[in-house]
Amino acid sequence: MTDPNAIQPSALDQLPDRDPEETAEWRASLDAVAREAGPHRAAYLMRRTLEQAEADGIALPKLLETDYINSIPTAAEPAVPGDEAMEARITAWNRWNAAAMVTRGSKHGVGGHIATFASAAWLYETGFNHFFKGKESAEAPGSGDQIYVQGHASPGIYARAFLDGRLDRTQLDNFRQEAGGNGLPSYPHPRRLPWLWEFPTVSMGLGPLSAIYQARFNRYLTNRGIKDVAASHVWAFLGDGEMDEPEATAALALAAREELDNLTFVINCNLQRLDGPVRANFKIVQELEAQFRGAGWNVVKSLWGSAWDELFALDTTGALVRRLREVPDAQVQTYQTRDAAYIRQDFFGKDPALVELAKLLSDDKILECFHLSRGGHEPRKVYAAYRAALAHKGGPTVILAQTVKGFTLGEGFASKNANHQMKKLTVDEFKTMRDLLGLPIPDSDFTDGQVPYGHPGADSAEVRYLQERRAALGGPAPARRVHPLPALPAPADKAFAAFDKGSGTQNLATTMAFVRLVKDLVRDKETGKRWVPIVPDEARTFGMESLFPSLGIYSPKGQTYEPVDRDQLMFYKEAKNGQILNEGITEAGSMADFIAASTSYATHGEAMIPFYIFYSMFGWQRTGDQMWQLGDQLGRGFLVGATAGRTTLTGEGLQHADGHSPVIAATNPAALTYDPAFAYEIAAIVKDGLRRMYGEAAPDEDQNVFYYLTVYNEPLPQPAKPSAAGVDEGIVKGLYRFNTAESAGLTPTANAPRIQLLGSGTAIHWALTAQKLLAEEWGVAADVWSATSWTELRRDAMAADAALLRGEDRVPYVRQALQGAEGPVLAVSDYMRQVPDQIAQWVEQDYTSLGADGFGLSDTRPAARRHFGVDAESIVVAALAQLSRRGEVKAAAVKEARERYGL
């Protein structure tokens, strides 16, 4: 049986011990302290020793947790510059108006959130008054700081904009009422309020992820010499409950690994989620501290206000700190709502030393500490934490600021589990709040039971002070600016025209065609440097390894090793000024990269052209929420779904077989979705995308869009572009006739039945084979059309319908294109039928479709296509069936075809 007192094997046994006798003495000393003075004293001495070792530069692993106290001692807190009393009045006005705006809106049933900003007010106000650089900042001109506002705190940001004159009462009264054109969006939505909001954050978890990659992209811009934005700091305001989202912590290691000391997380630890405690039986602050420290972040805790200083001074045994550490969060929340007697019994009564300490405290003192005094509610504490964050170099900082959710809103709100869903205060509650905040709002202003907005006047000392502070920091914040940038010059036509002649006898996958196009475009002297290639660790799958040596993979450390493939032509090259962002296996991180790059035109006044290439199956369905974020943030660029289609990625099977990404993409109004069949179509789409997003867009074109292209890994012949007029227009609009039976050399008889075959992407090759079979074996003439975008055709048709309702005479493009085309229409793609069926109601001819509905499977391409009924032979049978229903071929032909082809 193992002796429990025996010294257990240790990893340190593997290291040389130069003086075992000295080691034994140190261990014996520690045992003696623990025996004589207690384990807490021993732990204290060990921590002091570790602290001294770190100060002396001795490399040691750090502790993951510290005591449940402030990181910065009161004596070390710097004085807050400026007028603290004035800032308190400003904060009071903002608290009031944030609550008033939501309460006034509640009569319309539009909802809103009050408690979040009430807890975080000083976290924002301290930043606005002393830290957040504006767009006109001398240190970071045109960029300023990037501020990710916690979504549910938006009423407080609106209240501040109202105080400084950027919003008026009418706009506040239109909170969450945007249909009339003069309203305020519920949360930070750049597309809805583009002069104020920069970053959409209320899809919780995406804010912290995006903030990390924004800070990283700032370094990328600087290291590549595009723009020096080293002085820009990224501030992300988050909730402790939000940190449960996996995206919120997905990139913590990246931020530490790349030493992003231009990034600060401020986590509002009010200990509450939307429905109750974040960690009812545990301590979320300690959990987050360990998580961030373990990831390599600097952690600053601001937990207790100045009222606690007396308690800590009286704690000569350490019992208070130990008790604070052991009390679970839900009990701390309960203390905030209970009387002094309860707190004396439940908190102090657990330890004799605390019982004695409590005898020295008045009831008022206990209530002040447990009800009111939190580090996140005191500007001096918050200022000290922010100053420490900016002073820390070599890595990112997280500030864990403890607050009370619903602070200053009264007993009905503070720390109540339901306060996230509580949308209004009564008049009496407002009057109590007014008295607490010391605001000069008379009872007579409460007319007809309506709470008034409060404003000290445009020329008041408060407004002047606020505006002066913002002027000193570089202008208003938050603020989004779209700089008057010149249109980027169009790349030379040579890069695009290279695909017009086709590939001859060489087979070429459209994925490779896209990569070849980009390889030429990044060489352009004017715009080449602005391309940002992004890939989640599958560059070789997509044939992008040829870009490694020429563009380099971005790494802030450069290449500190000798690559294993150094002797090969396409060796792995990392560089500080590398252009490629190769993110590892993270579609979420890659999308966050894309969002930062795609909005650089506004954030930094530098237009960048990102393209993000990924397995199409792992894009929209995995990070579709970020695609919405991209559209909301008005991003521009090219998303490329590679290895696309349900039957084209041979052998990979269900989890890789994308049959639906165009359907999901179609739901995003900012996404222009294309399924090109040929290399020249890709060139035409990219050329037009560069014109629209970065060049001379037409007056009726929204530049704030992004393109989604599906490309395939199946090597196939790439034909020359047809010489007929209007091909480029058709490619961009979504449909053009690729050939007719006659131009394909099939010479149908004069009275042959005719059908129109519409295909997109790789499916057009099946349609072309079917065209030949129909002519040679069944005497049917088929024309083949390339449907490059079912979604754009649908959107144009919907716009035409809307125009008709306005009394305008407009015909959908799809109907114009197919006008006069003989026979029925059969549409096919490598996706579910819902994709081509988007246009069905606007096609005047008889319309039917084929598609790969259902789950994918592993097999060869021909077998998979036969399984889903989309191969050439299946198209033939479907075409004959359609013609048979019209009486143009005999019904027996359909049965004969099925039997002949083994269907």
Side-chain angles (χ1 to χ4, degrees), residues 670-866:
L672 277 61
T673 303
Y674 287 90
D675 186 26
F678 306 124
Y680 67 79
E681 293 178 352
I682 292 172
I685 293 165
V686 171
K687 182 179 180 180
D688 191 70
L690 291 173
R691 175 199 63 79
R692 176 169 176 172
M693 294 185 292
Y694 300 97
E696 299 292 345
D700 62 340
E701 288 181 316
D702 182 4
Q703 282 190 285
N704 299 316
V705 296
F706 59 93
Y707 283 62
Y708 175 55
L709 284 74
T710 48
V711 293
Y712 300 81
N713 73 327
E714 183 176 12
L716 290 166
Q718 296 297 325
K721 182 193 291 186
S723 58
V727 169
D728 282 346
E729 178 189 19
I731 291 171
V732 172
K733 288 190 172 182
L735 182 67
Y736 69 96
R737 181 154 43 197
F738 176 72
N739 70 15
T740 62
E742 290 78 7
S743 65
L746 298 175
T747 60
T749 62
N751 297 319
R754 187 172 289 267
I755 191 169
Q756 307 300 316
L757 302 179
L758 277 58
S760 69
T762 195
I764 201 169
H765 295 278
W766 322 331
L768 289 169
T769 301
Q771 178 189 46
K772 186 176 181 181
L773 291 174
L774 283 166
E776 294 177 351
E777 300 185 14
W778 306 98
V780 172
D783 301 337
V784 175
W785 299 70
S786 180
T788 54
S789 180
W790 309 99
T791 303
E792 288 306 296
L793 291 174
R794 175 179 175 81
R795 288 175 177 170
D796 171 81
M798 291 170 65
D801 285 354
L804 287 173
L805 294 177
R806 295 192 301 268
E808 303 172 21
D809 187 12
R810 182 175 164 188
V811 179
Y813 173 79
V814 64
R815 189 170 295 167
Q816 295 178 44
L818 290 170
Q819 188 172 13
E822 299 178 31
V825 171
L826 174 60
V828 62
S829 77
D830 203 11
Y831 301 95
M832 55 198 301
R833 289 177 62 180
Q834 189 174 342
V835 174
D837 284 351
Q838 291 180 85
I839 65 170
Q841 73 184 83
W842 292 281
V843 175
E844 292 182 314
Q845 294 89 340
D846 292 340
Y847 186 93
T848 191
S849 64
L850 297 175
D853 285 77
F855 288 111
L857 74 168
S858 299
D859 214 313
T860 64
R861 291 182 182 117
R865 287 163 186 166
R866 176 57 58 91

Side-chain angles (χ1 to χ4, degrees), residues 35 53 88 137 198 256 272 305 313 332 371 452 485 583 617 690 762 782 836 852:
R35 186 170 55 253
S137 164
E198 281 196 283
Q272 290 185 242
V332 173
H371 285 193
L485 300 176
E583 290 305 352
M617 183 66 165
L690 291 173
T762 195

Side-chain angles (χ1 to χ4, degrees), residues 516-529:
R516 286 188 184 181
L517 174 63
V518 170
K519 190 173 181 180
D520 288 338
L521 293 175
V522 295
R523 293 181 180 141
D524 185 83
K525 292 181 179 179
E526 296 291 335
T527 60
K529 68 178 182 179

